[in-house]
Amino acid sequence: MKDYKNVHILDHPLIRHKLAIIRDKKTNTKQFREIVGELATLMAYESFKDVPTQEIEVETPLEVTKQTVVKENSIAIVPILRAGLGMVDGILTLFPAAKVGHIGLYRDEETLEPQEYYCKLPTGIENKVVMVVDPMLATGGSACDAIKMLKKRGCKKIKLMSIIAAPVGVEKVAEEYPDVEIYVSTLDRCLNENGYILPGLGDAGDRIFGTK
């Protein structure tokens, strides 16, 4: 894969440890869901390092000092339904005031192309840093469609966070949207004939919600 300036692999021992657990087919729904949230928290720490900030005055027990805080109403999280929902609470742990929108896309089982069925976004989202989240970045189709929907609504600062990605998906998003910063914890080998990431972890949505 090419070296894209907007692609960031968040390699860390803690992330690798938690990835090993959710890859295991024996990991149950409760544990899988919890660790997806924990991975989202760890990844958010790095992917929001350029979050908008502002300076305020704080009075300590000894004196008044200037401190930097995250700018109010500056962040929106937009999960791609349904699997993306599993990452939202992990990010809200760090940014509890963030607004949350939802984009519904499903994959046509024959064409593997994403189909839109829902879009509900916070008011003023065009002025926020928008983090699109989906645990799996496979073909890149759903991510590109979600980004396109956000750009049509005036969003200028968009990021994408996925736990596991395939090279073809990363390349598609990176080339179509070079202005979108992409954060993944690992880059897997390839896709199989059904569009699933290998070695991957199976269907993230089914494993988060226990539907299989």
Side-chain angles (χ1 to χ4, degrees):
M1 194 181 80
K2 287 193 230 174
D3 185 18
Y4 296 98
K5 291 183 179 178
N6 60 326
V7 176
H8 311 277
I9 310 296
L10 306 181
D11 185 36
H12 187 282
L14 277 175
I15 289 176
R16 291 198 299 269
H17 175 83
K18 292 179 185 299
L19 272 174
I21 298 171
I22 61 172
R23 285 192 194 275
D24 191 336
K25 66 179 183 180
K26 297 189 293 294
T27 297
N28 63 37
T29 298
K30 176 180 182 293
Q31 192 176 20
F32 188 94
R33 185 186 303 131
E34 289 172 350
I35 292 177
V36 165
E38 290 169 5
L39 281 165
T41 302
L42 291 170
M43 294 178 69
Y45 179 82
E46 178 67 19
S47 56
F48 276 112
K49 65 183 179 182
D50 60 348
V51 66
T53 59
Q54 64 186 55
E55 197 173 71
I56 63 168
E57 285 192 344
V58 173
E59 187 174 358
T60 79
L62 302 175
E63 63 181 23
V64 174
T65 181
K66 290 184 178 180
Q67 296 291 294
T68 300
V69 297
V70 175
K71 195 171 182 180
E72 194 173 349
N73 293 320
S74 62
I75 295 172
I77 309 165
V78 178
I80 297 176
L81 302 178
R82 66 186 162 136
L85 290 171
M87 299 176 70
V88 173
D89 285 347
I91 302 174
L92 288 174
T93 299
L94 297 180
F95 302 100
K99 302 298 187 292
V100 181
H102 299 86
I103 289 178
L105 298 166
Y106 70 90
R107 184 171 63 173
D108 187 291
E109 293 300 327
E110 292 185 4
T111 66
L112 303 182
E113 292 298 313
Q115 306 293 320
E116 176 189 342
Y117 66 89
Y118 186 76
C119 183
K120 181 72 171 178
L121 301 172
T123 301
I125 193 169
E126 67 276 6
N127 299 316
K128 302 180 188 299
V129 177
V130 183
M131 179 64 81
V132 179
V133 295
D134 194 352
M136 313 294 282
L137 178 55
T139 65
S142 294
C144 284
D145 274 16
I147 292 165
K148 182 179 180 180
M149 292 163 68
L150 291 167
K151 283 183 171 287
K152 281 176 65 176
R153 288 160 174 81
C155 297
K156 297 173 282 295
K157 182 72 171 177
I158 302 171
K159 297 170 178 278
L160 171 66
M161 182 196 296
S162 293
I163 295 172
I164 291 178
V168 64
V170 172
E171 289 174 351
K172 181 176 176 65
V173 180
E175 291 183 3
E176 289 193 22
Y177 297 103
D179 60 327
V180 172
E181 298 295 320
I182 303 166
Y183 298 88
V184 301
S185 68
T186 191
L187 199 61
D188 273 10
R189 188 172 73 251
C190 64
L191 300 179
N192 67 11
E193 65 277 8
N194 296 316
Y196 283 93
I197 299 173
L198 296 176
L201 47 73
D203 186 299
D206 283 339
R207 296 194 69 188
I208 289 168
F209 297 107
T211 47
K212 270 192 184 176

